[in-house]
Amino acid sequence: RGPDPGIELVRKRMESVKYKILILSGKGGVGKSTFTSLLARGLAAADSDRNVAILDIDICGPSVPRVMGVLGEQVHQSGSGWSPVYVEDNLSVMSIGFLLSSPDDAIIWRGPKKNGMIRQFLSEVDWGVLDYLVIDTPPGTSDEHLSAAQYLLSAGLTGAIILTTPHEVALLDVRKEIDFCRKVNIPLLGVVENMAAFVCPKCKTETAIFPANTGGATKMAEELGVPFLGSLPLDSRLARSCDEGTNFLIDVPDSPMTVAFNKLLTDV
Ligand code: ADP
């Protein structure tokens, strides 16, 4: 068999995308889709001339449509590919979720079919010219990651951001994730710690959620030579906002979460 023709198709499509960023996590439920949506919304809001998009390749559990408030939308085929769904003029979304007949459809696909879907997502979506493409992936390291890495590494992948909580088990899995990135040559942009502390909205007292592991993510990043990008607190209003698909950064501008996130965005 010759080389996969998809590699060239992806490379061509990605020529009009400046930064291509994978969002990874060792475990599910650590806030990867939440962070993906905050990052895309934050990048788009910071400059209206900037074009940002999210690609959701979490084939078995696509949650981006809900978090971005576009659940139930459909994508259309145009002459130059699939048209993504627009959340703002400069912010678009493409997700496997748009192709399922019901959000509860369970997808049980084998590797080759997933690979084909990811190739289509990376080569056939008509994003136009983009500054940032933020790619939400399933937890762990699976077929989806290998496919995405295989295609994107030939197309100028910027790198990966790894999400974790300070929980010991999550931190252990981050090590595996970093190891995977190094093995397949994915540049590591850094580690983000989520749900590190809870700031009481009434009395403003800060409580560590995993006190035994406070500072664990920073230490681990340092030890493994990966940049530590920042720490985000737990905020029940963010969970509600994700369920409702609203823009938390604009709706709750003074929350510790928004402040921490904006700091992370400017630092990075
Ligand atoms: P993953 O993509 O890693 O599986 P999600 O982004 O879907 O995780 O987040 C899992 C759940 O945790 C969601 O209900 C989300 O709203 C909530 N969540 C994520 N980050 C936070 C946070 N910092 N504060 C409060 N809830 C959060």
Side-chain angles (χ1 to χ4, degrees):
R1 293 198 314 166
D4 180 347
I7 290 183
E8 183 54 21
L9 294 174
V10 172
R11 200 191 57 73
K12 271 225 137 59
R13 180 67 76 179
M14 290 294 139
E15 273 173 0
S16 51
V17 181
K18 196 165 173 191
Y19 300 111
K20 306 150 204 63
I21 303 171
L22 282 175
I23 312 293
L24 309 175
S25 73
K27 285 223 167 305
V30 300
K32 182 172 38 58
S33 303
T34 305
F35 178 77
T36 304
S37 71
L38 288 175
L39 183 63
R41 287 197 200 261
L43 287 168
D47 182 350
S48 59
D49 289 332
R50 184 186 263 174
N51 291 318
V52 182
I54 299 180
L55 174 62
D56 176 14
I57 60 166
D58 191 348
I59 287 174
C60 296
S63 45
V64 168
R66 176 185 299 278
V67 177
M68 294 302 288
V70 286
L71 197 63
E73 293 278 345
Q74 302 277 319
V75 287
H76 304 281
Q77 191 89 37
S78 76
S80 44
W82 282 333
S83 308
V85 171
Y86 280 81
V87 177
E88 310 277 351
D89 286 345
N90 65 339
L91 177 56
S92 57
V93 177
M94 180 69 199
S95 167
I96 181 80
F98 297 144
L99 306 174
L100 305 179
S101 44
S102 131
D104 297 328
D105 266 5
I107 297 213
I108 308 162
W109 285 356
R110 289 183 187 279
K113 192 161 177 191
K114 286 185 184 168
N115 184 65
M117 189 78 231
I118 286 166
R119 189 195 64 227
Q120 274 188 294
F121 270 164
L122 291 172
S123 62
E124 292 181 20
V125 180
D126 183 17
W127 305 104
V129 174
L130 286 182
D131 295 284
Y132 293 91
L133 178 62
V134 187
I135 305 166
D136 193 14
T137 64
T141 47
S142 54
D143 292 336
E144 286 90 327
H145 301 91
L146 284 171
S147 298
Q150 175 204 351
Y151 290 121
L152 287 167
L153 282 168
S154 318
L157 174 65
T158 311
I161 296 178
I162 303 180
L163 256 283
T164 184
T165 63
H167 192 234
E168 184 69 39
V169 186
L171 288 175
L172 281 176
D173 278 6
V174 171
R175 289 175 184 270
K176 288 189 206 154
E177 210 71 26
I178 291 174
D179 193 42
F180 168 79
C181 289
R182 293 204 160 130
K183 279 200 178 113
V184 298
N185 290 324
I186 297 175
L188 283 158
L189 301 176
V191 171
V192 172
E193 181 185 53
N194 187 28
M195 308 189 198
F198 173 72
V199 186
C200 173
K202 292 214 173 75
C203 71
K204 314 285 180 228
T205 304
E206 190 173 315
T207 312
I209 306 292
F210 303 103
N213 292 321
T214 299
T218 328
K219 247 188 269 148
M220 186 210 56
E222 210 170 89
E223 189 191 309
L224 297 177
V226 178
F228 182 73
L229 303 179
S231 183
L232 303 172
L234 194 82
D235 191 322
S236 59
R237 293 165 297 180
L238 175 62
R240 195 175 329 124
S241 168
C242 287
D243 286 344
E244 292 168 357
T246 52
N247 191 342
F248 180 83
L249 298 174
I250 288 185
D251 297 345
V252 200
D254 55 352
S255 75
M257 177 67 183
T258 306
V259 173
F261 180 79
N262 286 336
K263 179 173 182 311
L264 187 151
L265 204 59
T266 35
D267 288 354
V268 177

